[in-house]
Amino acid sequence: MEKLVITGGNRLEGTVDISGAKNAALPLMCAPLLTDEPMTLTNLPRLADITTLSDLLNHLGVTVTIAGGNGGGLTGRSMTFDASNIADTVAPYDIVRKMRASIIVLGPLVARAGEAIVSLPGGCAIGNRPIDLHLKALEALGADIDLEDGYVRASAPKGLSGGTVRFPFVSVGATENALMAAALAKGTSVIENAAREPEIADLANCLIAMGAKIEGAGTETITIEGVDRLHGTTYAVMPDRIEAGSYAVAALMTRGNLLLQNARMADIQAPMDVLSEAGAIISEEKDGVRVKSNGHLQGFNIVTQPFPAFPTDMQAQFMALATVADGASVITEAIFENRFMHVPELCRLGADITVTGASATIRGVPSLRGAQVMATDLRASMSLALAGLVADGDTVVNRLYHLDRGYERLEEKLRNVGAQIERVSA
Ligand code: UD1
């Protein structure tokens, strides 16, 4: 087991390359299931979740080729997906249990092959995370849904048909499943109360490049005119807004100055507004977003909500920031019911945090102290690494596999801008 050892106290300065977005890449990698022509994605991050989904696609009969054969260099790689022959329509438990996002194969698979059998992803560390909205969406498009032996079976042997999908609340993954399924359904579909996350527009743009007819992606109503077939294309994955936001926090926390190369301001406006309030000077530059400290760090309040509001995926990182800010901050988690597992770990570093229901009150302390901590989920891991950057002495972050699911070359990127951070074998 590997761990990170971070010696706090260094100010970060320089440029951080923001990688392709994991949460855009995963649905984009399922889009090739919709066509019998090869498709290439560029700017894919090198992450464990990408490998897991590649393995699943492989299992389904998709040939996955990595450009250059060796990972395609350090700045994002290209992969070609050839789903001309779908050999299997079953997504097995052994792969799905590793990554909940595997559920996004359901829509494209049933749309193209007439059937999809996907293991139920089950619970997850940050809450129950049911898939009822995914299933209701596919039912609205004419699929029959059965649940048996821990698997969900969606079938539409004669193809899907256009319909209206009305989500009672916003779900990113269910919107993605509905969008891909509707692209090949007969007739017109409308998705109401669709997620507006930038990853949805990224997926829609890729589908449009494949020949899909989609209007309104990025708004709450998406209209899809189904087509008979889609074709291959080459598409570049959008930059990772959550990674960008995480490094933005690192810049302010260490009273530093970082250029987040490739980051797009429109994707991170809400968290950057909070960061400005807390003491950052933020400017849009030609090739990214610059975040620097104004010398002060002030407490702030956050409520997580679907895009364009403050993202749940940045909640833990901003909590790390609040632990060393002046005054009190209140952070309310309104998306997932159990997403405060980083709180006891941050407290081990000397943070003062009280949780009441879905809200955490963080009273800033003058300094944190390094300690051994345990990463509990992906974003929680990053919050601990951020805290380690400013804690006195050494912070040791255990269970790195969470971090490796979502942050490409974390230690290298942090070291390049002045952090003292080492990955060691336990
Ligand atoms: C995606 C992101 C994840 C992010 C989340 C919210 C990916 C791969 N993951 O996850 O990083 O934290 O959006 O921005 O893109 N829900 C149901 N029934 C469903 C589906 C969802 O009740 O069928 C609930 C969830 O439990 C949660 C809320 O809806 O409380 C939002 O979840 P959703 O937007 O679906 O998250 P994911 O797509 O799983």
Side-chain angles (χ1 to χ4, degrees), residues 88-173:
D88 199 334
T89 53
V90 181
Y93 175 73
D94 271 351
I95 303 182
V96 176
R97 75 182 166 85
K98 286 193 203 159
M99 190 183 65
R100 196 193 129 78
S102 309
I103 193 70
I104 345 171
V105 300
L106 192 66
L109 208 49
V110 67
R112 167 100 180 283
E115 179 188 71
I117 302 168
V118 178
S119 170
L120 290 168
C124 150
I126 59 171
N128 273 331
R129 306 186 84 174
I131 58 159
D132 53 320
L133 300 182
H134 299 247
L135 304 184
K136 286 205 174 80
L138 295 179
E139 254 172 355
L141 300 176
D144 287 326
I145 306 286
D146 298 300
L147 296 175
E148 53 191 55
D149 303 332
Y151 279 76
V152 52
R153 179 170 184 273
S155 57
K158 294 192 182 123
L160 295 169
S161 42
T164 299
V165 178
R166 267 186 214 98
F167 287 121
F169 53 90
V170 168
S171 162
V172 176

Side-chain angles (χ1 to χ4, degrees), residues 377-392:
D377 70 52
L378 169 55
R379 307 303 169 186
S381 316
M382 188 60 179
S383 80
L384 299 174
L386 289 167
L389 290 174
V390 297
D392 295 335

